[in-house]
Amino acid sequence: IEPKYLSKYLNDKKERLEQILPQLSKNQALNKLKQQARVFTGWKGVYTAFMTIIETLPKGAEYIGFAAGFEEQFSKETQEFFGKFHKKRAGMNYKMKLIANESARLQVKEQINTYKEYSYEVYPEFRFVPGFAPIGLIIFGDNVLHVAMGENPIAVIITAKQIADSQRRSFYNLWKIAKK
């Protein structure tokens, strides 16, 4: 194209884009209501899954869940991963309620001391049950994040209001009987 026509070409494209923007916005709104499941693999994938919490919830919101694998020995990668994520979480001033198995009480105490080292102002609130809590399950908004750490970590986010509400009810029923 001759240089003198570039401006007209760009203006035509801009007008076309402005014409279809309302429909694109409408489609995006419909997609947000859609139920879906997404799988994330590897450290970058799992980090992306956890960042969905940050992208979804407003500042000061609460999310709940079952602590991710305190029973497992955390690798250096896992510790670095959670250190990075909790820094972002603290910046959003999220309130967290987590249930862990009683056998993880000592590791949880150590983890909270780590939060204090980093001067996080909002610490997760933990309660404990005697060995029957699932691990690595987080409920936020209409989403359920299930994660398995390890050599090849994986995460699945299910977006479905009915599933999130069901998991939330189960969590709060267990929360009532869990010990501080």
Side-chain angles (χ1 to χ4, degrees):
I1 191 167
E2 290 185 36
K4 65 182 181 180
Y5 294 114
L6 281 175
S7 179
K8 182 180 180 345
Y9 174 79
L10 290 175
N11 284 336
D12 289 347
K13 290 288 182 187
K14 184 179 176 186
E15 284 176 20
R16 171 104 170 95
L17 177 64
E18 287 173 357
Q19 287 173 355
I20 63 170
L21 272 177
Q23 185 61 43
L24 290 174
S25 295
K26 187 188 251 184
N27 290 350
Q28 186 179 25
L30 289 174
N31 282 338
K32 286 184 179 180
L33 300 174
K34 186 170 86 172
Q35 297 183 133
Q36 64 180 346
R38 295 173 284 164
V39 177
F40 304 83
T41 58
W43 290 108
K44 287 182 180 178
V46 171
Y47 189 73
T48 300
F50 271 80
M51 290 307 295
T52 304
I53 297 169
I54 306 289
E55 295 164 2
T56 302
L57 295 179
K59 222 173 191 173
E62 176 184 82
Y63 66 90
I64 57 176
F66 299 92
F70 278 104
E71 291 81 358
E72 303 166 6
Q73 185 171 359
F74 278 172
S75 66
K76 183 180 177 185
E77 291 92 352
T78 305
Q79 291 171 358
E80 288 174 5
F81 169 83
F82 279 114
K84 239 195 275 187
F85 175 72
H86 286 304
K87 187 175 183 180
K88 290 199 179 281
R89 177 195 59 79
M92 294 297 286
N93 208 25
Y94 290 148
K95 295 160 192 66
M96 285 174 52
K97 289 182 177 174
L98 295 173
I99 296 174
N101 287 314
E102 186 62 48
S103 60
R105 189 179 286 272
L106 182 61
Q107 291 94 337
V108 168
K109 186 177 179 182
E110 290 171 5
Q111 189 66 40
I112 289 174
N113 287 337
T114 303
Y115 294 149
K116 290 177 181 174
E117 270 180 42
Y118 289 117
S119 301
Y120 297 148
E121 293 185 23
V122 179
Y123 310 119
E125 182 181 353
F126 280 93
R127 290 199 182 169
F128 300 89
V129 293
F132 57 82
I135 61 170
L137 185 74
I138 297 172
I139 302 118
F140 62 101
D142 291 341
N143 302 282
V144 175
L145 165 63
H146 212 152
V147 62
M149 295 300 191
E151 192 175 320
N152 299 305
I154 188 167
V156 178
I157 295 178
I158 299 171
T159 303
K161 183 171 177 29
Q162 299 91 336
I163 292 173
D165 287 346
S166 172
Q167 292 290 338
R168 192 173 287 107
R169 280 189 304 275
S170 296
F171 174 87
Y172 280 114
N173 284 331
L174 196 51
W175 185 259
K176 289 175 190 174
I177 64 168
K179 296 179 181 173
K180 289 184 181 187

